[in-house]
Amino acid sequence: DVKVTQSSRYLVKRTGEKVFLECVQDMDHENMFWYRQDPGLGLRLIYFSYDVKMKEKGDIPEGYSVSREKKERFSLILESASTNQTSMYLCASSSGQGSGEQYFGPGTRLTVT
Amino acid sequence: AQSVTQLGSHVSVSEGALVLLRCNYSSSVPPYLFWYVQYPNQGLQLLLKYTSAATLVKGINGFEAEFKKSETSFHLTKPSAHMSDAAEYFCAVWGYKFYFGSGTKLNVKP
């Protein structure tokens, strides 16, 4: 059974803190993605990676960075959390050329106070 | 550039009624199109995928979608709604990366 896990389901952080969101997949997928989900806006792509140590900016990368040192792990970093980064964060992975089915983790609901 | 528009942020149907969720896309290349479903407090899971093999695509849980190039549409349908279909549905197009619509919440009334 394919699995994408995220380190926390719920997280509360203070403004200015450095925040790490971890995502691990056990399917040997080449491609990994980070999205944020906000009501009425759907999913917006923050960063993605089509190979280890490779990363590309998505549509809303400002205020975020990522790290992919191992194939199975893709980390999202909020360098200095702000209240407008309060959101649901979803990680996904896929195989092949990138157009294949994405498998999603359960999400991390981050609240920045 | 690719984009997706979902018409109707909320759709309400009675149990047993037809479900129709609308999706229009914009793509500069032959598209890969997807429908995903999200149940409360869960991640997204794939309902169905269009990859140009057939214009009518059947998915899980009795859902299907028809690709209409002339209308640039990929509407999702189900002949008879069930209470368990209540969820949020997302249309997506792939063009080097994924572009998701804003989602449609489906409410099913008893």
Side-chain angles (χ1 to χ4, degrees):
Chain A
D1 194 20
V2 297
K3 204 162 209 179
V4 179
T5 56
Q6 296 184 228
S7 49
S8 305
R9 291 300 304 271
Y10 300 93
L11 208 54
V12 179
K13 295 293 181 181
R14 297 194 178 213
T15 302
E17 280 193 81
K18 191 168 186 175
V19 181
F20 293 87
L21 303 183
E22 304 286 339
C23 176
V24 178
Q25 50 94 4
D26 65 359
M27 297 162 281
D28 201 35
H29 283 170
E30 296 84 2
N31 315 312
M32 297 189 74
F33 309 82
W34 274 107
Y35 296 90
R36 63 176 283 175
Q37 181 180 11
D38 300 288
L41 297 178
L43 276 69
R44 293 180 290 168
L45 183 63
I46 304 171
Y47 269 95
F48 61 105
S49 169
Y50 284 160
D51 199 355
V52 177
K53 296 192 184 292
M54 173 267 185
K55 60 186 178 185
E56 286 197 48
K57 294 180 180 179
D59 301 314
I60 52 165
E62 296 78 19
Y64 303 95
S65 62
V66 290
S67 172
R68 192 167 182 204
E69 296 295 320
K70 293 185 178 181
K71 189 176 186 179
E72 68 271 18
R73 188 181 296 270
F74 193 36
S75 303
L76 180 69
I77 303 155
L78 286 65
E79 297 290 343
S80 177
S82 64
T83 54
N84 63 13
Q85 293 178 310
T86 291
S87 186
M88 170 70 84
Y89 290 87
L90 293 168
C91 176
S93 71
S94 70
S95 64
Q97 296 177 339
S99 61
E101 174 184 358
Q102 292 196 323
Y103 294 85
F104 283 83
T108 296
R109 185 165 295 282
L110 172 67
T111 302
V112 183
T113 61
Chain B
Q2 284 74 26
S3 67
V4 173
T5 302
Q6 290 184 242
L7 296 175
S9 58
H10 291 81
V11 170
S12 188
V13 301
S14 297
E15 192 172 21
L18 172 71
V19 176
L20 171 60
L21 304 182
R22 298 177 187 273
C23 173
N24 288 88
Y25 70 91
S26 170
S27 177
S28 56
V29 297
Y32 291 96
L33 294 161
F34 303 78
W35 275 100
Y36 283 85
V37 61
Q38 185 180 35
Y39 298 103
N41 298 315
Q42 295 186 26
L44 280 69
Q45 63 183 83
L46 183 70
L47 269 181
L48 48 83
K49 172 183 177 181
Y50 168 76
T51 58
S52 78
T55 57
L56 185 63
V57 182
K58 295 189 183 298
I60 61 172
N61 301 337
F63 284 93
E64 62 183 33
E66 186 173 8
F67 172 69
K68 291 187 176 180
K69 185 177 179 180
S70 61
E71 298 177 9
T72 60
S73 69
F74 190 56
H75 302 330
L76 181 71
T77 60
K78 182 174 180 178
S80 177
H82 192 272
M83 296 296 292
S84 61
D85 294 328
E88 190 161 17
Y89 293 79
F90 293 93
C91 183
V93 63
W94 185 84
Y96 186 66
K97 58 185 179 180
F98 276 87
Y99 299 85
F100 283 84
S102 54
T104 298
K105 285 190 177 176
L106 176 65
N107 177 46
V108 182
K109 299 175 289 186

